[in-house]
Amino acid sequence: MGVSGTGKTTVAEHLVERLGWPFAEGDTFHPAANVAKMRDGIPLVDDDRWPWLQALADWIGAREAAGENAVVTCSALKRSYRDLLRTGHPSVWFAHVDTSPDVLRKRVTKRTGHYMPPSLLDSQLATLERLESDEPGVTITGEGDADDVAAQVLAALAAERRVG
Ligand SMILES: Nc1ncnc2c1ncn2[C@@H]1O[C@H](COP(=O)(O)OP(=O)(O)OP(=O)(O)O)[C@@H](O)[C@H]1O
Ligand SMILES: [Mg+2]
């Protein structure tokens, strides 16, 4: 989890390379209407997000039913979004990749071939609700080497869930 440009996809790729687990990129679960809004720089509202989050939750449920571990990227900025993903899915454990606004702006401005325009970053940062103490997971700074971030996520996961 984390705002655009924080390194979710990059860190997830490192995790998947190490673990060989099935991987879902949360962005690919957005309905076409949401993708169009984001491309036009229009922030999504929660009514846009529920079907997206539910589709992702269903994918997680299918992995659980199959007894599989998995890696999922999802901004999951609000507690209510995370609660939707987690409800009925005891395997869910969040890794917040946390990067400072200055570093984020540099990364997002440099990035090409991606539908998230830099102007959406401010609304993302305003929306972000950090993990609360009763939520399962860990917060890791995303400013170090991506492989290092992945290693820290795995160490925390192994300590708490004995997997990874
Ligand atoms: N630890 C890191 N150190 C340096 N650069 C990084 C790191 N992690 C990611 N980046 C770079 O920052 C940019 C954004 O990373 P990435 O696409 O993984 O973010 P994201 O959280 O998946 O964003 P989005 O929500 O928009 O998909 C990329 O150009 C990536 O190469
Ligand atoms: Mg991504």
Side-chain angles (χ1 to χ4, degrees):
M1 64 167 277
V3 298
S4 178
T6 201
K8 297 181 295 293
T9 299
T10 307
V11 171
E13 282 167 354
H14 284 274
L15 288 172
V16 167
E17 198 178 292
R18 284 170 184 241
L19 299 165
W21 292 354
F23 172 42
E25 178 77 280
D27 292 342
T28 66
F29 288 67
H30 273 293
N34 288 3
V35 176
K37 269 189 155 183
M38 290 188 278
R39 190 180 287 126
D40 292 341
I42 303 166
L44 299 182
V45 296
D46 281 353
D47 279 345
D48 299 319
R49 291 194 175 95
W50 305 127
W52 164 57
L53 291 164
Q54 191 56 55
L56 208 46
D58 291 347
W59 189 87
I60 291 167
R63 301 286 77 68
E64 281 188 345
E68 294 171 350
N69 292 306
V71 177
V72 176
T73 57
C74 178
S75 46
L77 296 181
K78 287 189 187 176
R79 168 84 196 226
S80 57
Y81 308 164
R82 297 191 294 271
D83 285 351
L84 189 154
L85 294 172
R86 189 159 71 96
T87 300
H89 300 138
S91 71
V92 171
W93 186 89
F94 299 104
H96 179 192
V97 181
D98 188 21
T99 305
S100 71
D102 280 355
V103 173
L104 286 168
R105 271 188 202 97
K106 282 188 196 125
R107 283 189 193 169
V108 174
T109 308
K110 266 201 323 208
R111 193 166 48 161
T112 55
H114 197 280
Y115 61 68
M116 179 68 76
S119 58
L120 274 195
L121 185 55
D122 290 336
S123 83
Q124 296 247 311
L125 287 166
T127 305
L128 173 67
E129 296 171 3
R130 292 168 175 279
L131 284 175
E132 295 181 50
S133 57
D134 63 329
E135 291 182 276
V138 72
T139 299
I140 306 279
T141 174
E143 294 182 23
D145 182 73
D147 201 40
D148 243 40
V149 180
Q152 290 180 62
V153 169
L154 273 184
L157 177 63
E160 289 192 21
R161 291 287 175 93
R162 297 168 193 261
V163 291

